[in-house]
Amino acid sequence: MITWRSIVRTFQNNHAPLRAQVRQLSLLEHHSYNLLKEFKLPVPPGVLVTTPEQAKNVVSKINAPSMIKAQVLAGGRGKGKFNSDGKSGVRMVNSPDDAFKSATNMLGSYLTTAQTPEDGLRVDKLYIYKAISIAQEYYLAMTFDRQRTSPVLLISSSGGTNIESNVDNLHKLWFGLSTGITDEIHAYVQAELGFSDTEMKDIHRILVQMVQLFKEKDATLVELNPLVRTEDGEFICLDAKLGVDNSARYRQKEIFALEERSPEEEEEYQLAELGLSYVRLDGNIGNIVNGAGLAMATNDLVSLYGGKCANFLDVGGGATKEALSRAFGILLKDKRIKGILINIYGGIVRCDMIAEAIVGAATEMGGFKCPVVVRLQGTNSEKGLKLVEQSGLDDLVVEAEFEEAVQMIVKKTSGVKF
């Protein structure tokens, strides 16, 4: 399926072959731990903290070497680096004072890993548990193989950070959701990874519970990395990552209520709730358009004339006046935006309704506080333009021609002369 979002991403990638972009829920580690516990999977008891003082108190109560782990939606934390002290996102501390110092450097700082943006991700939560003596690290995961239209078990004896350099050595075992872990899979795992009969009883139980979690929670990924064997012979999951199919939102309301979003994702989420399509870009010109084709053409022309778009906001054909007014308010909270281009070709959506929303939002907010260029063509465009012109709003400019409207907003936001 080709989505509006995929078209935008394709445009950004220099018109590469179309590729659907599917957004899926990912959970922070501590939420994943709670789900694992619900399905009787072995995880270490731990505590979530948000301040250095809390970290110090937790380690004081543990009274033993402890692990402190940054809670971000990205892997590779053990090899990542904080912008504060250059140390990783997974640390062992030996005292409450060590915990306080580490937490001070971690909380509020940015962690960069191989899976984060270049600037890293801000860390506002830490998970702490008693350090465990590890004899062996394993990797276990379940996901979907789209080519075979089948769920697949991925398993390796090189877990933890080692998995990143041993991906080719993963054992891949396809299974059915109705059949689960068969005797054949059981025998293969034991033979290839060298588990004893006693160990295999624990591994089999873990695999069976993973399948149950995978099915009942509409998961797209259940990853235990590492699943460790302790010096005492126990198996414990020291890190977990879960992904849930976005199409299952209506069935998995409790899980989706746990979703944590960055400010950029929050904008997209709020606008999606209004029935509007939004993609954040890296420029300073806000776009409000209707239709993916017009969005691409608008971004193309803005770039041609030396400007850069801050977003695509597609109001589509069914947006209400109330939804549009709220959308303007959300868009204008973006401090990067220096001007807005509203480019509407009225067909299903009426230009007079767009105009009412523009004027209503401006009045409610006491003006837009940045230049706004309005181009309305199509259904009821004359009526809409008249409403805008009669609004008395100083920061609104009406321009009927596409190229002139683009040149005008680029000039107002960057000073480029034409």
Side-chain angles (χ1 to χ4, degrees):
M1 180 181 68
I2 302 303
T3 64
W4 183 92
R5 188 177 179 83
S6 76
I7 293 174
V8 175
R9 294 304 186 204
T10 299
F11 176 84
Q12 290 178 287
N13 292 325
N14 299 318
H15 304 285
L18 288 175
R19 180 182 176 187
Q21 299 289 325
V22 181
R23 182 170 181 267
Q24 296 174 336
L25 170 71
S26 291
L27 298 178
L28 288 175
E29 180 187 21
H30 69 97
H31 289 316
S32 298
Y33 274 166
N34 289 334
L35 274 174
L36 295 182
K37 284 190 286 187
E38 181 183 333
F39 284 82
K40 297 181 173 57
L41 286 160
V43 296
V47 179
L48 189 71
V49 303
T50 56
T51 68
E53 291 78 10
Q54 290 174 349
K56 182 177 181 178
N57 291 337
V58 168
V59 173
S60 178
K61 291 178 181 177
I62 292 175
N63 194 29
S66 304
M67 301 303 299
I68 298 184
K69 303 175 77 172
Q71 299 296 286
V72 292
L73 293 174
R77 293 171 297 169
K79 291 186 176 180
K81 291 184 178 181
F82 271 95
N83 66 337
S84 54
D85 60 5
K87 296 182 179 179
S88 78
V90 179
R91 311 181 185 189
M92 187 170 79
V93 294
N94 294 305
S95 70
D97 288 339
D98 286 346
F100 182 89
K101 182 178 179 181
S102 283
T104 299
N105 288 322
M106 297 169 81
L107 290 168
S109 297
Y110 288 78
L111 175 65
T112 302
T113 79
Q115 298 182 26
T116 67
E118 289 185 10
D119 295 336
L121 295 175
R122 180 184 166 97
V123 175
D124 294 310
K125 298 177 181 179
L126 304 172
Y127 192 73
I128 304 177
Y129 59 83
K130 182 180 177 181
I132 292 170
S133 179
I134 299 172
Q136 174 73 43
E137 294 184 332
Y138 300 92
Y139 177 91
L140 270 70
M142 288 178 184
T143 186
F144 279 104
D145 183 333
R146 300 298 178 184
Q147 290 184 333
R148 297 203 184 191
T149 62
S150 169
V152 60
L153 167 65
L154 306 174
I155 189 165
S156 173
S157 57
S158 300
T161 56
N162 292 325
I163 194 63
E164 298 172 12
S165 57
N166 288 281
V167 174
D168 294 337
N169 295 326
L170 281 172
H171 298 277
K172 302 178 181 68
L173 299 166
W174 291 267
F175 64 95
L177 290 177
S178 59
T179 56
I181 303 303
T182 62
D183 291 342
E184 290 78 11
I185 292 176
H186 176 106
Y188 181 92
V189 169
Q190 182 171 12
E192 290 297 322
L193 275 72
F195 292 119
S196 67
D197 290 343
T198 301
E199 291 171 341
M200 197 58 209
K201 288 180 181 178
D202 291 333
I203 293 297
H204 184 84
R205 181 181 58 80
I206 289 170
L207 291 174
V208 169
Q209 293 304 109
M210 286 178 69
V211 172
Q212 186 179 351
L213 168 58
F214 194 76
K215 288 168 56 177
E216 291 188 16
K217 299 303 181 182
D218 295 293
T220 56
L221 173 68
V222 177
E223 181 185 73
L224 311 183
N225 184 39
L227 175 73
V228 304
R229 187 181 74 243
T230 70
E231 297 287 357
D232 296 328
E234 291 184 279
F235 286 96
I236 299 177
C237 174
L238 294 189
D239 198 354
K241 184 182 294 184
L242 270 73
V244 179
D245 189 344
N246 195 54
S247 300
R249 184 179 290 269
Y250 73 99
R251 276 200 305 262
Q252 306 294 347
K253 293 181 181 179
E254 290 184 3
I255 294 180
F256 278 87
L258 303 174
E259 186 173 15
E260 300 193 32
R261 295 176 287 270
S262 67
E264 294 85 357
E265 292 171 327
E266 187 63 35
E267 292 168 353
E268 179 181 345
Y269 176 79
Q270 290 183 23
L271 291 165
E273 290 288 294
L274 299 173
L276 309 178
S277 299
Y278 172 87
V279 174
R280 183 182 176 93
L281 303 176
D282 58 1
N284 63 359
I285 296 174
N287 277 334
I288 299 177
V289 298
N290 64 321
L294 186 58
M296 292 175 70
T298 302
N299 191 50
D300 233 342
L301 207 55
V302 168
S303 299
L304 179 65
Y305 285 115
K308 293 190 73 175
C309 297
N311 69 277
F312 280 156
L313 175 54
D314 180 4
V315 301
T320 65
K321 182 174 71 174
E322 291 74 18
L324 285 170
S325 295
R326 285 185 61 192
F328 284 122
I330 292 171
L331 195 63
L332 288 165
K333 290 178 182 177
D334 188 339
K335 295 180 181 179
R336 303 171 306 140
I337 291 179
K338 305 303 180 185
I340 296 175
L341 173 61
I342 302 171
N343 187 13
I344 302 295
Y345 189 84
I348 299 174
V349 64
R350 302 190 331 267
C351 291
D352 57 326
M353 187 193 75
I354 297 291
E356 289 175 3
I358 294 170
V359 174
T363 302
E364 186 176 324
M365 299 175 66
F368 283 135
K369 299 179 178 61
C370 73
V372 178
V373 176
V374 181
R375 175 183 178 260
L376 302 176
Q377 290 286 346
T379 306
N380 291 355
S381 60
E382 292 184 4
K383 185 177 179 181
L385 289 170
K386 188 174 181 180
L387 283 169
V388 174
E389 290 172 342
Q390 293 178 345
S391 67
L393 294 167
D394 296 332
D395 43 14
L396 280 178
V397 178
V398 174
E399 175 52 64
E401 297 300 322
F402 190 3
E403 287 197 50
E404 281 75 3
V406 169
Q407 289 178 349
M408 189 173 294
I409 194 63
V410 171
K411 180 179 179 181
K412 288 178 176 294
T413 55
S414 64
V416 174
K417 295 182 180 181
F418 301 96

